[in-house]
Amino acid sequence: MENAEDLLSVIRWNYSLLYDWLIENGISSVEKDKTENTRWTSYDDEKYLEYKAEIQKMPYPENATLEQMRHVARLVVYGLFERHFTQKAGEFLLGHLGRHIEDMADKINQRTENENFQEDVFDSSSQVYRNDQSYFEAAARIYGEVFIDNERNIGGQVALADTNWEIQKLNTNANKTLFRKARLLNLSEVDEPENLFQLTYNNQISITSITIK
Amino acid sequence: MSWTAEIVINNTTPYKCPFKIKKGQIFENKKMGTGLQNVAAIRDYFFEIPANTKKAVSIEVLCINQHLRPPSGQLNLTNLQVTGNFLSQNELWELMNNNIDGI
């Protein structure tokens, strides 16, 4: 099972079994219990209405989002539908279907997090740059695509490379050197129209020098 | 402790030029690996440079790299800003050190 699309289609199939069973049997089985008052000890009327509302708002399997399917799975595993945990849809326990959906949804989310993380770093190879010189040689190459123009006194490259270096030095347990982009360094782009960087970058004014006094 | 950065700006146009330096805007060293701290504006600043005028403005800055040496020399202006709010040098360092996350 390699990609998120495959995982999602398996989740949808599992969800469709839950959905069909709950639509066909859910409310009627609860009403039967309620009438016979056999296991109806913890469900008051308010909870019953809540139960019905959850059943009625379950989306069709064809249209359900991952989060909607996960929500119903959670209700079966440890929520309002838990009373059906040991009932069967065909050969499958509803509780097991719910757990299976949760496990696969976790996998999809983990994969998405990894993909987002990959977008936040320039390079996540397993290489470790043990000393400062080798780090900055690599940084000059890797952060080389970030803008800098020393003659016009504008840039961005050095702040990223230096700040990343500081973090890397302090992460003594790191087993690889990451070259983080701005977001992972707690930095973001200035986006206001009248900011000095944009005006300078667009040659509307020029900066002669910036000096620490 | 804050530092002062003096920015000399040249407006060669026939129009006055208002501009903003946002709180947290980053100024960087001209070369990577100097071991000197990069800095961030301590608050929002608004200036206006008259037409055909060269003018120096001064702003207060704080250091962003706690473990590096104090800032010194010439800087570049960047299009980067610190994400999040800070009220003091220690708060800014704390904000930046949140990145020491083990990844």
Side-chain angles (χ1 to χ4, degrees), chain B residues 8-29:
Chain B
V8 180
I9 298 163
N10 195 9
N11 178 9
T12 55
T13 70
Y15 314 102
K16 64 183 179 186
C17 184
F19 66 86
K20 182 174 182 179
I21 296 172
K22 205 174 172 190
K23 178 178 181 177
Q25 178 134 17
I26 301 289
F27 296 81
E28 67 178 13
N29 298 303

Side-chain angles (χ1 to χ4, degrees), chain A residues 113-139:
Chain A
E113 278 176 23
N114 289 343
E115 284 165 5
N116 289 344
F117 174 73
Q118 290 301 324
E119 286 175 11
D120 281 333
V121 294
F122 283 102
D123 183 76
S124 61
S125 68
S126 57
Q127 194 163 355
V128 185
Y129 298 95
R130 297 274 176 213
N131 61 53
D132 298 344
Q133 188 182 341
S134 63
Y135 168 86
F136 281 109
E137 281 170 6

Side-chain angles (χ1 to χ4, degrees), chain A residues 152 154 189-205 207, chain B residues 20 25 77-79:
Chain A
R152 294 163 71 199
I154 50 178
E189 281 194 19
V190 177
D191 50 7
E192 294 189 12
E194 283 189 345
N195 78 76
L196 183 57
F197 180 89
Q198 278 305 324
L199 294 172
T200 310
Y201 184 80
N202 295 331
N203 291 317
Q204 289 169 267
I205 52 178
I207 296 175
Chain B
K20 182 174 182 179
Q25 178 134 17
L77 172 68
T78 75
N79 66 336

Side-chain angles (χ1 to χ4, degrees), chain A residues 21 52 87 149 155 160:
Chain A
W21 191 94
K52 273 178 81 172
Q87 284 167 311
D149 185 340
L160 294 180

Side-chain angles (χ1 to χ4, degrees), chain B residues 48-68:
Chain B
E48 191 171 273
I49 309 291
N52 297 306
T53 301
K54 189 175 186 176
K55 186 176 175 181
V57 299
S58 291
I59 66 167
E60 269 191 278
V61 293
L62 294 171
C63 302
I64 66 167
N65 309 109
Q66 183 177 9
H67 306 88
L68 276 60

Side-chain angles (χ1 to χ4, degrees), chain B:
Chain B
M1 169 183 180
S2 64
W3 300 78
T4 301
E6 183 190 76
I7 309 169
V8 180
I9 298 163
N10 195 9
N11 178 9
T12 55
T13 70
Y15 314 102
K16 64 183 179 186
C17 184
F19 66 86
K20 182 174 182 179
I21 296 172
K22 205 174 172 190
K23 178 178 181 177
Q25 178 134 17
I26 301 289
F27 296 81
E28 67 178 13
N29 298 303
K30 284 194 164 287
K31 277 175 62 185
M32 60 176 73
T34 58
L36 300 172
Q37 298 217 29
N38 299 282
V39 297
I42 202 167
R43 63 174 176 85
D44 285 346
Y45 287 90
F46 298 90
F47 296 106
E48 191 171 273
I49 309 291
N52 297 306
T53 301
K54 189 175 186 176
K55 186 176 175 181
V57 299
S58 291
I59 66 167
E60 269 191 278
V61 293
L62 294 171
C63 302
I64 66 167
N65 309 109
Q66 183 177 9
H67 306 88
L68 276 60
R69 296 199 310 276
S72 173
Q74 298 291 307
L75 302 173
N76 283 340
L77 172 68
T78 75
N79 66 336
L80 298 168
Q81 63 185 1
V82 174
T83 307
N85 193 22
F86 56 90
L87 298 172
S88 66
Q89 177 65 80
N90 282 341
E91 280 189 20
L92 176 55
W93 278 337
E94 201 173 311
L95 202 58
M96 298 305 290
N97 288 342
N98 283 339
N99 298 310
I100 303 165
D101 46 19
I103 55 172

